[in-house]
Amino acid sequence: MSPYTLRYFDIPVRGETAKVLLLLSGADWKLETPAWPQDKDAQPVGKLPVLIENSAEGSDAEPFVLTETGAIEYYLAAKNGYVYQPDNITLVARQLELRSHIADLCSAFVDWKLCSNDQQPKLKESYKSTAGYLVRLHEKILKENGSNSHYFGSKTTLVDVVLFANIIALRTEFAGLDPEMSQLLSEENAPEINKVINAVSAEPALAAYVAETK
Amino acid sequence: MPSYTLRYFDIPARAEPAKVILLLSGADWKYEPPKWPQDKDAQPVGKLPVLIESPTNDSDADPFVLSETAAIEYYLATTLGFIYQPKDPKIVAHQLELRSHIADMYEAFVHIKYSIKETAHKNREAFKSTAGYLVRLHEKALKENGSNGHYFGSTTSLVDIHLFASITTMRTKFSDFDSDMLELLSEENAPEINKVIGTVASEPALAAYVAETKQL
C-alpha cells in the first residue's frame, strides 16, 4: 500500500500544492478520486482534499487522516523537508502567512468565477485588489531574498510550491476568460513571482506534471 | 520581553482568538483599531488583523509584522506556549486542521448574516452542513481525549481557545440573529464542545473578557 493517499477531485485547484509536494518528495503516493456526492459523508468533515498517511506494512497503527488544505500542505512540507528553518517560529509563521495570501487569491478567483452576473463587478474588483496587494508585498520579499527565484534560502520550499501550483491552476482556469484579470500576474507586472514559477517548473521531479498542465 | 500590538477593527470578530491567546499569556499587548479605509494601504496586504511584535527596549531590531489570522494564531500560540507538542508535525498539523474547521464554520455563519435575499437559503444550508460535520468530528475527538474539556492534553491550547473565542463571538455579537443556526451548537447537540467553552471561560486571566462578552 502506498504510504500516502491524496483524496481529491481530478481537477487542478485546491489539491494541487499537496500533489506537487508529493511529487517533489519522491514519496510513494496515489491520487484517489471519490464518487461525489456519494462519498461526501465518508469524509471527516464532508470536504476534500483529504490526506491519508497509511501505516507501515505489518503495523497495527491506524492511518493518519488529515483534512484542510493548509494543514495538509504544512504536514507534507514539514515531513519532507520543505519548511524553511522549521525550528524558527518566526520564519514558519511567515511561510504560513505567505501561503495564506496565495490561497486567498485563489479563493477570490473562485468566488468571481462562480458568482451571479450582478455580483461580477464587485468580485472582480475584490480579486484585483487582492492580487494587487499580493504582488506588491511578494515582489518586495522576493527581491529581499536576493531575486534568486525563491522566497526563502536558495532551494524550493513550501511557499515556492504553493505559488507555482496555484498560479498554474489559475492560469489553466483563466484561459480565455478575462485578459485584464490574467494580466495582473504577468511577467511584466510580477517579474519575481514569475521567476519562482519558472524555477519550480524546472524541477526534474515535476517534468511530467508540467508537461501535463501545458 | 517583546510587546505586541494587535491591529483590528473595534468589534469582536476575526481577531478574537488572537486576543484571547494574548490575554491568557499575560503578555504586554495593546489593541489598535485603525482608521478605515485610510489605513488600508499601510497594511501588508490591505487587510486586518495584523500583529506587530515590537522588540525589547534595548534592541535595534525592526518590529516583526505578520498578517493572516491563521499565521498570527500559530505564531502567538507557539511563542507563548499554547501549541500542544510543538515539535511533532503530525500533532501540529492536526491542531491547524481542527482550528481551520472552526474558522470555516465561523465564516459560514458570517456569510448568512451578510447574505442578500437570493443567497440566504443557500448560505443557511451551507452553515448547517459545515456545523453538522464539525460537531460530528469534534465531539468524537474530544471524547477520545478523555472528555476533559480540552482538545489535546489537559491544559488550554490553541484549538480550545479558537473554539471558545469563535463561538462566544457568534453567540454574543449575533445573538439577535439566527437562534436556529446557533441551536446546532447547543449543549444538547454538542456537549463536549460546550465543555471546552466552559473550561476556557473559567480561566482566571479571562474573567474580565468573559464579563464583557456577557454585556454585548
Side-chain angles (χ1 to χ4, degrees):
Chain A
M1 186 183 273
S2 304
Y4 294 106
T5 301
L6 181 66
R7 199 180 280 157
Y8 196 62
F9 303 113
D10 200 11
I11 50 166
V13 188
R14 284 197 188 95
E16 286 316 283
T17 303
K19 255 192 228 174
V20 176
L21 283 166
L22 285 162
L23 285 166
L24 278 172
S25 72
D28 182 7
W29 71 285
K30 68 177 196 225
L31 182 72
E32 196 177 88
T33 309
W36 208 261
Q38 299 91 312
D39 292 345
K40 183 177 164 78
D41 219 54
Q43 311 314 318
V45 286
K47 288 181 183 166
L48 297 175
V50 173
L51 178 77
I52 302 153
E53 187 181 70
N54 299 299
S55 38
E57 290 288 338
S59 160
D60 285 336
E62 291 287 317
F64 174 55
V65 181
L66 195 62
T67 64
E68 301 294 305
T69 321
I72 291 170
E73 290 170 11
Y74 166 82
Y75 180 64
L76 286 175
K79 274 284 301 237
N80 293 293
Y82 290 97
V83 176
Y84 181 73
Q85 291 189 20
D87 292 332
N88 184 321
I89 298 164
T90 302
L91 287 175
V92 174
R94 180 67 77 212
Q95 291 170 80
L96 295 179
E97 177 199 21
L98 299 181
R99 180 246 153 236
S100 199
H101 293 159
I102 299 163
D104 286 350
L105 183 69
C106 281
S107 293
F109 168 76
V110 170
D111 287 348
W112 168 74
K113 190 160 188 233
L114 297 180
C115 72
S116 59
N117 281 342
D118 56 345
Q119 294 260 298
Q120 283 266 333
K122 177 178 151 207
L123 289 172
K124 183 169 170 173
E125 283 313 303
S126 179
Y127 176 84
K128 281 164 70 175
S129 171
T130 302
Y133 280 116
L134 182 146
V135 167
R136 184 182 79 168
L137 182 70
H138 288 221
E139 289 285 307
K140 176 172 177 279
I141 287 171
L142 287 163
K143 280 175 200 151
E144 285 169 358
N145 193 48
S147 289
N148 68 353
S149 312
H150 298 290
Y151 275 91
F152 297 90
S154 54
K155 312 185 312 188
T156 294
T157 55
L158 172 63
V159 186
D160 302 330
V161 177
V162 172
L163 183 83
F164 164 79
N166 281 279
I167 305 297
I168 296 292
L170 279 196
R171 284 177 176 167
T172 311
E173 295 295 305
F174 257 133
L177 274 183
D178 187 322
E180 189 195 350
M181 301 271 266
S182 309
Q183 188 57 15
L184 295 167
L185 298 169
S186 67
E187 208 150 321
E188 190 187 1
N189 280 346
E192 300 296 330
I193 279 171
N194 279 272
K195 258 158 107 171
V196 174
I197 295 168
N198 293 337
V200 180
S201 293
E203 290 274 354
L206 299 182
Y209 179 86
V210 169
E212 224 172 79
T213 57
K214 289 187 166 130
Chain B
M1 291 295 286
S3 65
Y4 300 94
T5 301
L6 183 61
R7 196 181 281 156
Y8 196 64
F9 306 109
D10 197 13
I11 48 166
R14 283 193 192 95
E16 288 313 280
K19 226 196 249 183
V20 173
I21 296 172
L22 286 162
L23 283 167
L24 278 171
S25 72
D28 178 15
W29 74 285
K30 66 176 198 250
Y31 204 67
E32 190 182 272
K35 298 186 188 56
W36 209 259
Q38 298 91 315
D39 292 346
K40 182 176 165 77
D41 221 54
Q43 312 314 317
V45 287
K47 288 181 181 163
L48 299 174
V50 171
L51 178 76
I52 303 149
E53 183 187 75
S54 304
T56 51
N57 287 339
D58 56 357
S59 162
D60 284 334
D62 284 332
F64 173 54
V65 181
L66 193 64
S67 64
E68 298 296 309
T69 327
I72 290 169
E73 288 174 38
Y74 166 85
Y75 180 70
L76 286 175
T78 311
T79 305
L80 299 170
F82 292 100
I83 287 273
Y84 183 72
Q85 293 190 16
K87 300 278 186 200
D88 186 330
K90 213 173 256 195
I91 300 186
V92 173
H94 200 28
Q95 291 170 83
L96 296 178
E97 175 199 17
L98 297 180
R99 180 223 161 261
S100 194
H101 293 159
I102 302 163
D104 287 350
M105 183 180 67
Y106 178 84
E107 291 301 319
F109 190 72
V110 172
H111 269 116
I112 308 174
K113 169 121 174 117
Y114 296 108
S115 296
I116 54 175
K117 211 165 60 169
E118 290 76 11
T119 55
H121 175 74
K122 179 181 141 201
N123 288 339
R124 284 170 65 93
E125 292 304 306
F127 176 80
K128 278 161 72 175
S129 173
T130 302
Y133 281 117
L134 183 145
V135 168
R136 184 181 79 170
L137 183 74
H138 287 220
E139 288 288 305
K140 177 171 178 277
L142 287 163
K143 279 176 198 148
E144 283 169 358
N145 192 49
S147 291
N148 65 354
H150 297 289
Y151 275 92
F152 295 89
S154 54
T155 58
T156 294
S157 58
L158 172 65
V159 187
D160 303 328
I161 293 167
H162 192 94
L163 182 87
F164 162 77
S166 300
I167 296 185
T168 301
T169 302
M170 284 159 70
R171 285 174 173 168
T172 53
K173 184 180 174 198
F174 298 110
S175 61
D176 61 342
F177 170 43
D178 195 327
S179 51
D180 277 357
M181 295 292 106
L182 288 175
E183 187 58 28
L184 296 167
L185 300 167
S186 68
E187 207 150 323
E188 189 185 3
N189 282 341
E192 299 295 331
I193 280 170
N194 280 273
K195 233 188 222 171
V196 174
I197 295 168
T199 302
V200 180
S202 62
E203 290 271 358
L206 298 182
Y209 179 85
V210 170
E212 219 174 84
T213 58
K214 290 193 161 115
Q215 287 163 25
L216 283 173

